[in-house]
Amino acid sequence: MAVEPHALQRDDLLGAATSAGFSTMNERRLEGFRSSGLMPRPVRVGNDGRRPVWIYPPGSDRQLVRLLRWRECTLDVNVLRVVLWVEGFPLALDAVRASAAVMVGGLSREVEQLLRTEASHQGLDPFEDQEALVGAVAATMAAKRGKNALPRPIRVPADDRATAVAHLLQIFVLGTRPEVTEVEAETIEKVLGVSPGRRQRVEGAEPWLTGPASLIVGAADFVSVPRMIEALADASDAEWEEARWVAAALFLQLPVVTRALAAQTGKENLAGLGTYTALDSDPLFAVLLVGFALGARRSDWSDNIEDLTESLAPWSGLIREMKQVLDMPQHVLDRNLAGHGTEMHDRTERIIQALLDRDLDPGPRPDF
């Protein structure tokens, strides 16, 4: 039986993996991926003489390459399952739901264990003295330096930084509403790195961060870890599909947009957007953003999230247009830039370098 030219067989998948730099990929590993539900199973369509012919669904070659790329970030099957689903690959929703619940539930238990350990060290009660324990943990986190330290996008006094981290733990991790003054809330925005969003503009648009900074406390009601756990468990299949679209936009498009803006302007944290440049480098964020999307749609923030995701949609086309520069002969590029001044030349050079570095591609990028 002749196989249609477009039909994908095992060797096509293995060849795609090899071409992407994964030369150790083999049939045994592919079977392991199939068994864990990270890759689809082939369907037998007939025989080629006595040899059975098995074909994979269209896009399976790309799914394998993306899976291998994400496995460079994590080997956790639950995280891999969710991130592939967010990317649009056809994984069973029931399995994705279970994996997301396992991951977010695990984060909650890790925090509980961290507080119990701190309580044991200090001789405090993990429930009655929770605020003091959170403060102690936050102080350690805020002061930490090195590879695993919290980012420091904007300089903040040490004590104020520790207080802000404590409030962030209370709001987003524990799901409580701490008493936060407006000044303290503004410090939280600085610790998060988003405070420039109140004054800086992108392409002439109004600042995106508006309203009282203290509104952040309300996030505890819908995007904290406890609320995420509830949303993951209660959401309907239709809500999950809506959340998939939102999570994909925030996880795969928003970081590319922020990196593109950095390339265009030469400013790493323009309008406080630099916080989002590395979202797609850690697949665990895909899990958290699914929970965020499910929680946000049930809140007053639903319309804002929808507006944000819709605003990201045109950027895919803009990035494709930027990539056309790489195919342009140097003399044509020089002619097009003639008369535009030094600023345009510098901007173009930054964009070209970002394209060459694969900074404007979504998801994990190969190391060069």
Side-chain angles (χ1 to χ4, degrees), residues 7 19 23 27 50 56 73 94 107 115 117 189-191 204 226 229 233 236 238 243 265 271 297 321 336 339 365:
S19 297
S23 58
E27 167 61 22
R50 294 186 178 183
Y56 285 83
C73 302
D94 286 346
L107 290 175
L115 292 178
T117 300
E189 291 184 347
K190 292 178 182 178
V191 169
I229 291 174
S236 66
T265 63
R297 74 179 308 279
E321 292 179 6
N336 290 341
R365 286 158 298 285

Side-chain angles (χ1 to χ4, degrees), residues 86-123:
V86 167
E87 283 213 78
F89 294 111
L91 279 78
L93 181 56
D94 286 346
V96 172
R97 294 178 69 131
S99 289
V102 166
M103 294 309 302
V104 179
L107 290 175
S108 180
R109 288 188 293 274
E110 287 180 15
V111 173
E112 292 174 1
Q113 181 58 50
L114 180 63
L115 292 178
R116 283 196 296 268
T117 300
E118 187 69 26
S120 177
H121 289 163
Q122 299 196 29

Side-chain angles (χ1 to χ4, degrees), residues 116-266:
R116 283 196 296 268
T117 300
E118 187 69 26
S120 177
H121 289 163
Q122 299 196 29
L124 299 175
D125 185 280
F127 299 102
E128 294 183 2
D129 301 315
Q130 187 181 85
E131 185 173 347
L133 291 172
V134 170
V137 170
T140 300
M141 295 175 62
K144 191 173 183 179
R145 299 279 184 170
K147 180 179 179 182
N148 297 319
L150 296 176
R152 297 170 179 264
I154 295 174
R155 186 180 296 276
V156 173
D159 289 346
D160 293 345
R161 176 178 168 82
T163 300
V165 172
H167 288 151
L168 286 170
L169 290 175
Q170 291 172 311
I171 295 167
F172 291 102
V173 179
L174 299 178
T176 60
R177 278 176 163 258
E179 293 292 332
V180 176
T181 68
E182 188 66 17
V183 172
E184 289 173 329
E186 291 170 358
T187 301
I188 291 174
E189 291 184 347
K190 292 178 182 178
V191 169
L192 291 174
V194 300
S195 56
R198 290 194 173 275
R199 59 184 185 277
Q200 295 179 358
R201 301 168 183 263
V202 178
E203 300 295 332
E206 292 298 315
W208 66 270
L209 191 57
T210 59
S214 55
L215 288 176
I216 192 172
V217 175
D221 295 339
F222 62 93
V223 294
S224 61
V225 169
R227 302 295 83 77
M228 284 186 187
I229 291 174
E230 295 172 2
L232 291 171
D234 298 341
S236 66
D237 288 358
E239 288 175 319
W240 270 81
E241 288 301 330
E242 291 180 16
R244 182 186 203 175
W245 178 73
V246 173
L250 298 179
F251 180 61
L252 298 170
Q253 295 182 29
L254 180 57
V256 173
V257 170
T258 58
R259 293 194 293 266
L261 288 172
Q264 287 183 324
T265 63

Side-chain angles (χ1 to χ4, degrees), residues 208 245-246 249-250 253-254 292 296-297 300-315:
W208 66 270
W245 178 73
V246 173
L250 298 179
Q253 295 182 29
L254 180 57
F292 169 82
R297 74 179 308 279
D300 293 338
W301 286 24
S302 180
D303 290 341
N304 293 336
I305 299 302
E306 184 175 341
D307 290 342
L308 173 60
T309 52
E310 288 181 355
S311 71
L312 296 173
W315 277 88

Side-chain angles (χ1 to χ4, degrees), residues 261-342:
L261 288 172
Q264 287 183 324
T265 63
K267 298 178 180 179
E268 294 297 327
N269 192 31
L270 176 66
L273 297 174
T275 304
Y276 309 108
T277 57
L279 271 183
D280 58 346
S281 64
D282 185 347
L284 180 58
F285 281 122
V287 182
L288 296 177
L289 285 169
V290 171
F292 169 82
L294 287 170
R297 74 179 308 279
R298 302 180 178 195
S299 72
D300 293 338
W301 286 24
S302 180
D303 290 341
N304 293 336
I305 299 302
E306 184 175 341
D307 290 342
L308 173 60
T309 52
E310 288 181 355
S311 71
L312 296 173
W315 277 88
S316 295
L318 293 174
I319 299 298
R320 285 195 297 272
E321 292 179 6
M322 290 181 186
K323 289 183 177 181
Q324 295 176 9
V325 174
L326 297 180
D327 298 323
M328 189 177 296
Q330 186 63 47
H331 71 277
V332 175
L333 178 62
D334 292 340
R335 184 175 67 244
N336 290 341
L337 290 175
H340 285 284
T342 302

